[in-house]
Amino acid sequence: MDNKIKVLVVDDSAVVRQSLSAILEADPEIEVMGTAADPIIAVKKIMREVPDVITLDIEMPRMDGLTFLRKIMAQRPIPVVVISSLTTKGTEAAMKALEYGASEVIGKPSMNPDVFFQESHIMLCDAVKAAAMSKLRRIKADDIMEKVNPTRPAPAPQPVSRISTVRTTIPSASISNVQPKYTADAVLEKSSSSDLVIPTEKIIALGSSTGGTEAIRVLLSSMPEDMPGIAIVQHMPEGFTRSFSNSLDQISRLSVKEAENGDKLYKGRVLIAPGNKHMLIKRVGKEYFVEVKEGPLVNRHRPSVDVLFRSAARYAGSNAIGIILTGMGNDGAKGMKEMHDAGAHTIAQDEQSCVVYGMPKEAVKEGGVDDVVALDNITRHLVSILASSRV
């Protein structure tokens, strides 16, 4: 390819720089344009040639990764994939990095070739490709403070697009390299007949990827405390979802936690799928709970949105509402169609408010989306749907 994604690898470990470079160079769509042992060296290289994506370690000499990230996003935004250790300090710093404008966060990979060159290879390359597609904006210091203590007024209502037919005019070439290794069948077989779903409280199943951490933060900070139980799959590595859940719990009226196997899903509660585990919605009588389980990558992800959505279709049916947010690829598209066919109301984030309009676009193409809604209007739209369902 002539238009390869040019990547600058920034890490103080020579071993890590070499390993990351080898993996990225093995992908025909990616070119490592250089490496840097610290941000000072990186700045000099960026002045000579601006990369499409930077992979960035957090803990480095002379200038830490967070400071470097803030300078980049304030002065000359470049998509950044943060590669962080799984220590408590590392995961907390990674959450800050997402708030400061990083496109993706992945765990620092194992140097064990058998582990790294399989799933870590997929996750690293996909993260770089997603970052290269993401929309960026300059982030000022005031913006960062607003993320910590949001006080912005409610946005003006925007129109909601209703979808009644499959739209086939959106090209899919941009995600042609995100092909599923396994489908949701590997974790939960598709039901051959419709399960009997008794009327219950509503529940919400939500899936997102690149840009999703901030989108979820916007949603949960605006939701009233009496919202139905919400099960969320955000593509995020093992070790990071707990910090993510804890940070959301601080800014939301809802109770937010990283899901554990058997956790009940009920009004006012949000369960985040743990990194590296699939999460399914199950039902006993009128009560819902989640199952957290092992399994292969589905649509190149674990946890997978398709797995969550399929389980919601089977066990909740018309009692469910499905939401798909920003992200690269097609994870969740088929599962949302299954939810739609089972009677669930389904919502996709609109293109303008997405960081990467991949997953919602594919869900629309699949024919499983009822409404296309701007991010800032999704809570208002949900409240309206829930009010009408009680009439």
Side-chain angles (χ1 to χ4, degrees):
M1 294 180 59
D2 294 328
N3 55 340
K4 290 185 177 183
I5 299 168
K6 295 182 179 180
V7 180
L8 176 63
V9 176
V10 185
D11 197 294
D12 63 324
S13 166
V15 173
V16 172
R17 292 197 302 273
Q18 183 178 10
S19 298
L20 294 178
S21 297
I23 289 300
L24 293 170
E25 286 282 7
D27 191 298
E29 296 184 31
I30 297 172
E31 173 188 341
V32 176
M33 56 165 273
T35 66
D38 63 47
I40 306 300
I41 298 172
V43 168
K44 294 177 180 178
K45 296 199 172 188
I46 292 170
M47 290 176 66
R48 291 196 296 268
E49 181 179 8
V50 178
D52 298 312
V53 177
I54 297 171
T55 70
L56 180 64
D57 187 19
I58 294 292
E59 299 176 14
M60 288 182 292
R62 297 210 285 176
M63 182 188 293
D64 67 272
L66 285 178
T67 300
F68 181 51
L69 176 64
R70 292 178 66 173
K71 289 180 179 293
I72 290 174
M73 292 305 167
Q75 298 173 14
R76 207 294 184 191
I78 299 171
V80 173
V81 175
V82 168
I83 302 178
S84 176
S85 65
L86 294 178
T87 63
T88 300
K89 183 179 179 181
T91 55
E92 290 176 354
M95 293 304 100
K96 285 291 183 185
L98 289 169
E99 293 177 18
Y100 294 171
S103 299
E104 294 272 356
V105 168
I106 64 173
K108 185 159 286 189
S110 166
M111 290 303 105
N112 183 329
D114 291 337
V115 176
F116 184 75
F117 282 89
Q118 294 174 22
E119 293 181 354
S120 294
H121 167 87
I122 293 171
M123 293 175 184
L124 174 61
C125 292
D126 282 0
V128 166
K129 293 174 185 177
M133 294 173 60
S134 62
K135 301 174 188 174
L136 295 177
R137 66 182 180 88
R138 282 187 172 83
I139 297 182
K140 301 177 183 178
D142 291 344
D143 296 329
I144 293 171
M145 290 304 297
E146 182 181 327
K147 291 173 186 293
V148 178
N149 184 24
T151 57
R152 61 183 175 185
Q158 298 294 322
V160 174
S161 300
R162 295 286 301 178
I163 295 182
S164 56
T165 57
V166 180
R167 301 176 187 267
T168 59
T169 58
I170 305 172
S172 59
S174 62
I175 61 163
S176 61
N177 290 288
V178 188
Q179 299 297 328
K181 184 177 182 180
Y182 291 100
T183 68
D185 294 339
V187 179
L188 178 66
E189 290 186 3
K190 188 173 183 179
S191 179
S192 57
S193 60
S194 299
D195 290 1
L196 178 62
V197 178
I198 59 176
T200 67
E201 291 278 347
K202 290 287 186 182
I203 62 167
I204 297 171
L206 184 152
S208 59
S209 189
T210 307
T213 53
E214 179 61 19
I216 292 169
R217 190 180 300 277
V218 168
L219 279 185
L220 295 191
S221 65
S222 67
M223 286 184 174
E225 60 187 7
D226 62 345
M227 289 298 287
I230 305 173
I232 296 177
V233 163
Q234 163 67 37
H235 294 158
M236 187 174 279
E238 182 177 9
F240 295 93
T241 42
R242 177 161 298 181
S243 293
F244 180 49
S245 303
N246 291 342
S247 69
L248 293 172
D249 189 57
Q250 297 299 312
I251 56 93
S252 177
R253 300 180 187 90
L254 306 169
S255 172
V256 186
K257 75 180 291 283
E258 182 186 53
E260 298 176 78
N261 191 49
D263 276 348
K264 289 186 178 180
L265 189 63
Y266 49 78
K267 185 179 290 187
R269 188 180 218 191
V270 180
L271 297 175
I272 309 286
N276 205 36
K277 299 283 181 63
H278 291 298
M279 184 173 73
L280 298 82
I281 294 172
K282 294 293 184 73
R283 188 189 74 245
V284 174
K286 290 187 176 183
E287 292 189 332
Y288 290 97
F289 65 97
V290 296
E291 179 183 2
V292 175
K293 63 188 296 184
E294 307 281 351
L297 298 181
V298 172
N299 297 327
R300 303 168 73 94
H301 294 286
R302 185 177 54 243
S304 164
V305 181
D306 260 343
V307 170
L308 175 68
F309 283 0
R310 171 169 289 183
S311 68
R314 176 179 295 189
Y315 295 107
S318 60
N319 298 315
I321 297 172
I323 303 174
I324 193 162
L325 302 179
T326 175
M328 189 183 87
N330 61 357
D331 190 28
K334 293 185 182 299
M336 178 157 276
K337 179 64 162 62
E338 291 178 23
M339 287 187 68
H340 179 273
D341 292 348
H345 197 108
T346 54
I347 301 167
Q349 184 179 351
D350 76 340
E351 181 174 6
Q352 186 174 3
S353 64
C354 280
V355 173
V356 178
Y357 188 57
M359 287 163 52
K361 176 183 71 175
E362 292 303 303
V364 169
K365 284 181 60 183
E366 195 71 31
V369 175
D370 290 315
D371 304 326
V372 175
V373 186
L375 176 64
D376 285 335
N377 289 327
I378 291 178
T379 293
R380 185 182 296 107
H381 190 60
L382 279 172
V383 170
S384 175
I385 291 170
L386 292 167
S388 64
S389 68
R390 298 188 189 106
V391 176

